[in-house]
Each structure stands twice: as C-alpha cells, then as structure tokens.
Amino acid sequence: MGWFAIVVGGAITALSVVGGFAPVPLAVGVLLVLLAWVALLRPRVGITGSELVMRGLVSTLTLPLAAVESVTVRQVLAVWVAGKRYVSAAVGHSYRDIVRARRLPSRGEAAPVKTVAYADHIADIVTDRARAAREEAGVRARSSEQADLARGVHRSWAWPEIAALVLVGAGLVAALAL
C-alpha cells in the first residue's frame, strides 16, 4: 500500500505540473507521497549489534537489548525497558486477527491450527536476542544492573521528515487560501 500511495501521489504531482502547475493538486500529491513514506514505509524494527532499533513515524528509538525486560505484540509491538513502554507500529497484528484469536471454538468444532504469525516471530527473536545479550553481559533479568542499562535508550528525531511535513502542510494551506 505504501508504494502504491507513492505512485499515486507522484502521478498527481506530475499531472499538476504538466497540466499548468496547479498548486493545490501539487501540494496534495507531494503530501500523499510524504505521508506514505512516513506512515507506511519508514517504520521498521531491527537489531543492530547489541541494540534494538525501532523506527517510528518521525523518530528512531535505540534500546540496549540487555535492558529489554519483556516484549509483547498486539496491534503494535511493545517493548518494556526499566518499567517504561516503548511501542512500534511497524510490527503488529490486525484488529481482526486479535478479535478472531479471542473467540473460542463452539462445541463440536475443532480448534483451528495455530500458525506463528510474522509479528509473533519478530517478538520471539527480540526476546531471544535480549536474553542472549543479558547472559553475555552477565546481567540478571529485572535486576538493578538491568535498570542501569536503560540509560542507553536514545531517541533521535527524523528532522528531514518533520521539516518536509511542516513545509508541505504549510504549502497546502497556502494553496487552499489562494
């Protein structure tokens, strides 16, 4: 869906330039491309060395793996470090899947075969890597040493995306005002 939105936004932008430089469709096309990138394509979860990297809409969180206390997945991936919850929309279950999983089979029906969803697989990988990082560092789970590692949590802002959103949004408002 993200790449489709970028193609559609690019087409709107190109048609507005070719069709006599119409400012409103130009701003709408550029904003669609930018929102598709920021909301659908930029969010990611990855492991780099001994850190969990969670890219969000306009920021990137870097968490020391040894500091991770627990990981859960519902509609978003939630990671707890020193009692604080960090979330990423890059990995999660759809609301429909969550509701379907809550339903119990009726009498006489066989329970559906459970398959491991991609989101659960990612949570298992993060949990396993966090456990291995704690063992390598000689840190016990839920200890004061693990809480001290939480100082390594770092958030960096995606300033190019933030600036682009502000500029394109202001351009759309200005184009609509004309």
Side-chain angles (χ1 to χ4, degrees):
M1 288 305 294
W3 289 111
F4 177 72
I6 285 179
V7 168
V8 170
I12 293 170
T13 302
L15 289 173
S16 70
V17 170
V18 171
F21 193 73
V24 172
L26 176 68
V28 167
V30 172
L31 188 60
L32 181 60
V33 168
L34 188 58
L35 288 174
W37 166 254
V38 168
L40 300 174
L41 299 174
R42 186 180 190 283
R44 293 198 173 113
V45 174
I47 295 175
T48 306
S50 63
E51 296 177 327
L52 174 64
V53 180
M54 298 182 358
R55 285 178 51 176
L57 299 179
V58 292
S59 68
T60 300
L61 276 168
T62 306
L63 312 166
L65 276 169
V68 172
E69 294 172 345
S70 66
V71 180
T72 59
V73 180
R74 297 288 286 160
Q75 283 185 300
V76 296
L77 174 75
V79 178
W80 277 266
V81 174
K84 190 169 180 186
R85 181 175 166 223
Y86 298 95
V87 296
S88 173
V91 176
H93 296 289
S94 69
Y95 182 72
R96 180 180 178 189
D97 290 342
I98 293 170
V99 170
R100 188 178 293 162
R102 283 187 199 158
R103 288 191 205 142
L104 297 174
S106 300
R107 278 184 259 152
E109 285 183 37
V113 176
K114 178 155 169 99
T115 59
V116 177
Y118 177 73
D120 295 326
H121 180 66
I122 296 300
D124 291 343
I125 289 172
V126 172
T127 301
D128 292 343
R129 294 287 300 269
R131 186 179 310 113
R134 279 193 306 274
E135 288 172 4
E136 185 178 310
V139 175
R140 286 178 313 154
R142 309 234 187 318
S143 66
S144 62
E145 298 163 327
Q146 186 181 24
D148 290 341
L149 291 172
R151 286 187 233 145
V153 173
H154 174 70
R155 179 185 302 268
S156 57
W157 295 100
W159 290 113
E161 285 88 347
I162 293 169
L165 285 168
V166 169
L167 290 174
V168 173
L172 179 60
V173 169
L176 288 171
L178 294 177

